[in-house]
Amino acid sequence: SGINAEDDMKKRKAARKGTKQWAPKTGTPKFALEGDKRWVIEYQGQGEDADRQMIEIAEPQMRHMIFISGCNNAYIKINGKVNSIQIIECLNVQVQLSDTVGPVEVTGSEKIEVLITGICPSVIAGKVNGLTIHLAGSLETELVTSCTTGVNVTYPVVDADGDKDTVEVAVSEQFMSKVGKKNKIVSTVVTHGE
């Protein structure tokens, strides 16, 4: 017997009705340099109805790794070059940074904005719903995404008249894959209306 598509859709719809809206874990707020290398920023912010809470690392060092977790409605500003940044299970968080040696990683989060004013080799996003990456400095940043939706990148451009503008481009979410030459899977981006 085959799969009944209508019954399958009804089951999925019923399952969605019982699910709660995602929210970051809660815990005791923490903002501290642990040891000599790791800044920990946890559980900052008070939710979407409160004013956005600002956290600032005024004088970070290049060896510092920044770990941001469980924040909800926070603005985090990092005023210097750091080793790397991890943003894990956050909601409605903005992170402004200048330079990183390694990647900025965003995992299991929603409504995140990352403003990069200098050089960052890569942004890696996994299981993210709603991520905007603002490239105000170098445009050489590589983007790696997995299981993401709503990822956009903004960057400055100069038109033919010499006027500066900012463009926003969506990162592809849809791909077509097929078995190609030498029995290898070949994937291409699906584009609409170009």
Side-chain angles (χ1 to χ4, degrees):
S1 113
I3 297 174
N4 184 326
E6 188 174 326
D7 288 344
D8 187 51
M9 284 180 56
K10 286 179 184 176
K11 287 179 187 175
R12 288 176 191 236
K13 190 173 184 180
R16 280 196 305 264
K17 279 185 179 180
T19 60
K20 296 179 183 176
Q21 183 177 2
W22 182 86
K25 295 177 184 176
T26 58
T28 304
K30 184 175 187 178
F31 175 43
L33 177 61
E34 289 185 344
D36 187 9
K37 294 185 177 181
R38 180 176 151 142
W39 280 97
V40 175
I41 302 169
E42 290 182 316
Y43 309 117
Q44 300 293 326
Q46 302 300 315
E48 290 191 38
D49 296 332
D51 291 335
R52 187 174 302 272
Q53 181 177 359
M54 182 172 171
I55 305 290
E56 184 172 11
I57 300 176
E59 296 181 16
Q61 297 179 10
M62 191 165 53
R63 70 177 177 271
H64 290 162
M65 296 177 286
I66 315 297
F67 178 78
I68 302 165
S69 175
C71 294
N72 186 355
N73 201 30
Y75 174 76
I76 300 159
K77 186 175 182 182
I78 303 160
N79 294 327
K81 189 172 192 174
V82 296
N83 187 291
S84 62
I85 299 171
Q86 290 181 313
I87 303 165
I88 300 171
E89 294 182 347
C90 292
L91 174 64
N92 198 25
V93 170
Q94 295 175 322
V95 177
Q96 180 179 335
L97 61 116
S98 57
D99 300 288
T100 64
V101 175
V104 171
E105 297 179 60
V106 184
T107 308
S109 298
E110 288 190 20
K111 299 180 185 175
I112 305 296
E113 286 191 61
V114 177
L115 170 60
I116 303 167
T117 60
I119 297 171
C120 173
S122 61
V123 175
I124 302 168
K127 296 182 181 177
V128 176
N129 182 14
L131 169 63
T132 302
I133 303 159
H134 303 280
L135 300 176
S138 171
L139 301 182
E140 298 295 318
T141 302
E142 292 182 351
L143 307 174
V144 179
T145 60
S146 173
C147 300
T148 60
T149 58
V151 178
N152 294 309
V153 180
T154 68
Y155 53 91
V157 294
V158 178
D159 65 18
D161 298 328
D163 296 328
K164 292 182 180 180
D165 197 6
T166 300
V167 296
E168 183 168 1
V169 178
V171 174
S172 297
E173 297 178 26
Q174 191 173 18
F175 300 88
M176 179 184 69
S177 300
K178 63 182 179 179
V179 178
K181 295 180 181 177
K182 298 183 182 177
N183 295 322
K184 302 282 182 180
I185 294 290
V186 177
S187 298
T188 55
V189 174
V190 174
T191 57
H192 301 280
E194 279 192 12

